[in-house]
Structure formats: C-alpha cells, structure tokens
Amino acid sequence: MGTVKALDIISPGPLTTVQDLGRPGYGAYGVPPSGAVDSLSLRMGNLLVGNPENTAGLEITLMGLQVRVLCDILVAVTGGDLQTRLNDRPLAMWTAVRLRTGDVISFNLAKTGCRAYLAVGGGIEVPDVMNSASTNLGSGFGGLDGRALGKGDILSVKDPQSHLAYEGNALDEGMIPSYPNNWCVRVIWGPQDQDFTQEAKDRFLNASFTVTSESDRAGIRLKGPELPAKDGLASSIISEGVIPGAIQVPGSGLPIILLGETVTGGYRKIATVISADIPFLGQMKPGDRVSFEPVELPVAHTLLKKRGAQITDFKNKVVRRIQRC
C-alpha cells in the first residue's frame, strides 16, 4: 500500500509534536536527544499497534488536539488521560483501536498526567534528521518542518493496512501506570551533592515541591524551600554535559529537573532521577507536588532491569497473539 495520507489536523492544541525515542549521541555537537518525554508510554503504544518501539508518534500536551482520519488505521492512545474521544464517544486507552475514514479523534482537558501519545500502525512518516524523527523545537528541525503541528497539517502513515491485524491488543491492567498529583521520585545523590549544606540535603528529602507553570520539555521548574550551596561557593560552576533527570540548583536555590532538550548546564546537580522513573517526569503538570527518595545505585539498576523485563514480556505476548491469529 505504501505511504498514504492518514491524519488531518483540525486543531493542534497548545503543543502537539512528532516524537520518537530521540536522537542520543549528538551532545558533543550541542544537539539534545529530544524525543518523547514519557518514553515508556510511546514504546507501549507502538507495541500495541505492531510498530517497533522507536516508531514516530504524536505527543499531545494537556489538551486540544483534534484529528480527522483519512483512511482506515490502527491507533493506540497511551500516557496521561486527556479524556480522548472518538466521534464524541470515550475512546479506550492502552488498547489498539481501529479507526475508519471520516472518524474524528479529540483530546480534551487532562484528567490525569500531562501528555498523551498517539501511536499509529505504520508510524508517522517524516524525514529523519540525525537518525531520528523527533521534533527539536529550539533548533527548528526534525518532526514536521521542525515545528509543532498546526491546523490543516496532513500527516502520512506507511502501510497502515498491514497493522490492522493487531486490533484488540491491550496492555495488562497491572502494567498501566498511574499518574498521581503527588509524586515520589527516586534519585541517586550527585554529582555535586557534596557542595550543598546538610540542611539543604535534608530540605531536599523532607520537603514537598510544586511544579510551576514555567515547566516545559526542557525542564521541570519547582517551587519550594531553597537549597543553598555551602558558604563561599559561587552560584554557578563551569558548564558541563548533563543528562535527562539531572536536578540542578541555580542561584535562586530552587531546583530544576532537566529533561531531553538540554545537553549542558552550569549549575550544581544535587541529585539525579533514576532511569526507571524518568518517563514519569513527562506526566508532571503545573500544580503537582513532588518529593524525592534516595536509593543506592544497585537498586536503581534492579528497577531498570525490571522495567525492561516487563516490556519484553509484553512484546512477546503481542507476537504470540498475532501468530495464533
């Protein structure tokens, strides 16, 4: 069937972009990884519709996306509950659903979480830039012309008919993440935790911070008690490479959790979010409360391996189901 026009953007909402799992490995050139902020949701959505995990889909922030379907396709909506509707009826999440020509799918106000993901059987077809389809808004490349989607945009999908056999796939209820308003995020200390006072470290662990409206795909800005560095230290350090999940503390003393649109930072990092918890950062919305729990590195490794094993197990179940059909 080849590549066909599949989605007509009626309304893009405040921020809808094309994202895959990003373009790691280009930080030395100043290029951030970008990609889905909640990578777990995109990965699971792709598996539900029979795509490779890294296939490009749509990341929808908070609300507002409305799309008309131009041909029969298979989709899965994952991530935050934006009260998705199909032709004015609720659409099941974490399930592979067949849409027909003329259907309209809409994403309303977020009920839980911050971002939903629309995975389409065959994937959103846009040119790769540095081995990724992800949109880099700051630099204006990737995705659809390096920008957020706009009204009237038409998106194409590759060979959607071949994915219709995956209809009915659903994620086991026990694997569906929950997105509370109060988050407890697990962290590893450092790399500059020694530069903070013991009082600051105690505040970091015992306080509850609030996600502010200044948060975006680059980082989550938090409001709460200040975390001062030790006396005599400058407010900044020599800029160095950073990774998603690094929690840097600028001169204001208020922490910022870095996400995937940043590759260098000139502030001290008091702690780093463990890899298993990083996808949940993408579901924190303004007004949510955040607290931190330290864990040791072996625990962080175990949790990440457990997450990988869950994904592999689900992938095998999908393959076995299709083989039986």
Side-chain angles (χ1 to χ4, degrees), residues 36-274:
V37 186
D38 177 0
S39 59
L40 177 63
S41 289
L42 180 61
R43 292 171 71 185
M44 299 311 294
N46 276 323
L47 291 176
L48 284 167
V49 298
N51 290 338
E53 295 173 50
N54 192 35
T55 302
L58 299 186
E59 179 180 271
I60 305 104
T61 304
L62 289 175
M63 60 183 176
L65 176 66
Q66 189 175 23
V67 180
R68 180 176 290 106
V69 178
L70 303 179
C71 66
D72 285 12
I73 56 174
L74 193 69
V75 304
V77 177
T78 59
D81 183 358
L82 306 193
Q83 303 184 72
T84 310
R85 302 183 72 82
L86 172 61
N87 301 328
D88 294 324
R89 299 189 308 274
L91 177 69
M93 295 187 63
W94 304 95
T95 302
V97 179
R98 181 171 181 164
L99 306 186
R100 290 174 169 79
T101 304
D103 283 344
V104 174
I105 183 172
S106 58
F107 295 77
N108 301 287
L109 186 65
K111 184 177 180 181
T112 64
C114 181
R115 294 173 174 88
Y117 292 85
L118 180 64
V120 183
I124 304 298
E125 282 287 289
V126 293
D128 276 359
V129 178
M130 299 180 182
N131 303 311
S132 171
S134 284
T135 308
N136 182 319
L137 292 171
S139 299
F141 61 78
L144 187 66
D145 301 326
R147 59 173 174 80
L149 297 188
K151 180 179 179 179
D153 285 337
I154 303 294
L155 300 176
S156 295
V157 173
K158 185 176 182 180
D159 196 16
Q161 290 290 328
S162 67
H163 292 261
L164 298 179
Y166 290 83
E167 181 181 3
N169 273 337
L171 190 63
D172 296 339
E173 186 175 349
M175 288 187 66
I176 296 175
S178 60
Y179 306 125
N181 295 324
N182 292 283
W183 300 85
C184 181
V185 178
R186 293 166 291 193
V187 299
I188 302 263
W189 286 113
Q192 285 97 26
D193 58 296
Q194 72 281 353
D195 288 350
F196 292 87
T197 65
Q198 187 58 50
E199 180 183 6
K201 293 181 183 179
D202 292 341
R203 287 180 185 175
F204 178 71
L205 295 183
N206 297 325
S208 179
F209 296 86
T210 303
V211 177
T212 74
S213 59
E214 287 78 29
S215 302
D216 55 22
R217 283 179 47 84
I220 300 170
R221 292 181 177 271
L222 301 177
K223 179 173 66 177
E226 296 180 7
L227 307 177
K230 292 178 179 178
D231 289 341
L233 295 179
S235 61
S236 61
I237 61 175
I238 296 174
S239 291
E240 61 182 7
V242 294
I243 59 173
I247 305 173
Q248 70 174 10
V249 183
S252 67
L254 299 177
I256 303 170
I257 308 175
L258 301 181
L259 300 177
E261 300 293 351
T262 306
V263 290
T264 61
Y267 298 112
R268 293 176 176 82
K269 277 68 70 180
I270 191 170
T272 304
V273 177
I274 67 171

Side-chain angles (χ1 to χ4, degrees), residues 265-318:
Y267 298 112
R268 293 176 176 82
K269 277 68 70 180
I270 191 170
T272 304
V273 177
I274 67 171
S275 296
D277 284 0
I278 284 178
F280 300 121
L281 300 178
Q283 297 300 344
M284 294 180 181
K285 61 183 181 298
D288 284 359
R289 304 289 291 180
V290 184
S291 59
F292 299 100
E293 175 189 350
V295 297
E296 297 296 328
L297 190 58
V299 173
H301 287 164
T302 298
L303 292 168
L304 183 59
K305 289 177 182 177
K306 181 179 179 181
R307 177 71 69 192
Q310 289 176 325
I311 295 173
T312 298
D313 180 60
F314 177 71
K315 187 187 306 185
N316 291 336
K317 288 181 180 178
V318 170

